[in-house]
Amino acid sequence: MTQPWSKDPKTGQTTTGKLEKVDSPVPTLQSNEVLVEVAGCGVCHTDLGYFYDGVPTVTKPPLTLGHEISGRIVAGSQNWLDKEVIIPAVMPCNKCDICASGRGNRCLAQKMPGNSLGAYGGFASHIPVPADDLCVVKDRGNFQLAELAVIADAVTTPYQACARAGLKNGDNVVVVGVTGGVGSYVAQMAKAFGAKTVVGIARDPDKLHRALEYGTDYAINSSGKNENDVRNEFRELCKAHGLPNYGWIIFEVTGTGPGQAIALNLLSFVGKLVVVGFGLQKNEYSISRLMAFDADVIGTWGCLPKYYPKVLEMVLNETIKIKPFTETRPMSKIREVFEEAHATKMMKRVVLKPDF
Ligand SMILES: [Zn+2]
Ligand SMILES: [Zn+2]
């Protein structure tokens, strides 16, 4: 990305974003670094946010976007050579107090490819990364290494979210945005953590229908409805199926104003709202309701690298199914894929494979 889309706040004039292919020299590796030949890099909503919506990157453009990366190590220390790996989307410093307290997924010195790892990102042929926290792929069966890239965010973020929520056997769960690139895995992951019921909320009827095959027990289509309509429909659903009207764990994965309004409106007695999605808008909410409900609102960011091997195992043994939600395309088509992902509702997450 040499230039993101932007709008002058005074004149209202729009500047077109630019993605360009450039040749850069192979960097000198630090002692703890390896060079990964990228097998695939997933196109995430966050990349679109950086390019189209004014979400700032830590490293200012020009930089290479992309943080859902799998690949093979081609340079660096001998014991890493030739290993296939998944690169965690956020890599903690492992030295600070936050890391020591077990919350390294939100370490302030963390490195994220395509954002804060210098100018390096996954939409490239190669990327230098710290070796410490790489997740090694040993026997990947009939999975392509490229498609396993989605583990490095889309599947691990839901794992961290469920762990952070303290999700346990028998819990009842709502996923707002259940059809999205991350939401579809939140539903599957919640089931893997033992959730008894998963209610999925989204707007696309085809994707909602698909969600019912992958973790979601009941679907609510929120298209054309406000948060009160959705809450009423949710209450009726609970009544009809003998489900409680308290204690629900609600994952908000859309990061949109309407999605967050729905999630806040569903929060009730001894419930928990887990904020997984990100957006720049603001919400109005009477926080005294949290007191009255004895409820929690928590945020969750990324995923600790230590959880990656577990998530990889869940994908390889198909506890979490990625194939119905993933497709690969040549990386040279990045402009078209960004356009398409930005303008339309794609059924599958695209993993770009270097073809240059
Ligand atoms: Zn992402
Ligand atoms: Zn740290």
Side-chain angles (χ1 to χ4, degrees), residues 255-330:
T256 65
Q260 292 177 342
I262 290 171
L264 283 165
N265 212 29
L266 291 178
L267 185 60
S268 183
F269 298 98
V270 298
K272 206 177 279 183
L273 168 56
V274 188
V275 182
V276 188
F278 179 83
L280 293 171
Q281 75 292 325
K282 290 180 180 153
N283 303 85
E284 196 170 281
Y285 185 72
S286 165
I287 61 170
S288 299
R289 295 172 81 181
L290 301 180
M291 176 269 181
F293 289 152
D294 200 7
D296 300 322
V297 177
I298 56 177
T300 177
W301 172 274
C303 180
L304 286 166
K306 72 170 183 185
Y307 293 144
Y308 272 64
K310 172 75 189 160
V311 179
L312 172 63
E313 186 192 316
M314 293 168 109
V315 168
L316 293 178
N317 69 21
E318 297 191 63
T319 304
I320 305 290
K321 296 193 171 59
I322 63 166
K323 283 187 185 280
F325 300 93
T326 313
E327 65 172 288
T328 59
R329 294 199 200 169

Side-chain angles (χ1 to χ4, degrees), residues 187-206:
Q188 294 191 59
M189 193 60 83
K191 279 283 164 167
F193 269 69
K196 190 175 112 205
T197 316
V198 174
V199 176
I201 299 177
R203 291 181 302 194
D204 184 299
D206 297 336

Side-chain angles (χ1 to χ4, degrees), residues 67-68 87-91 110-113 152-153 156-157 302-303 308:
H67 55 269
E68 266 191 5
I87 303 173
V90 293
M91 290 173 274
Q110 68 184 203
K111 300 289 182 206
M112 174 176 163
D153 189 12
T156 42
T157 296
C303 180
Y308 272 64

Side-chain angles (χ1 to χ4, degrees), residues 8 12 65 108 123 148 181 192 218 252 276 309-310 319 337 341:
D8 190 305
L65 293 176
L108 304 184
F123 300 129
L148 294 178
Y218 306 107
E252 206 302 305
V276 188
K310 172 75 189 160
T319 304
V337 171

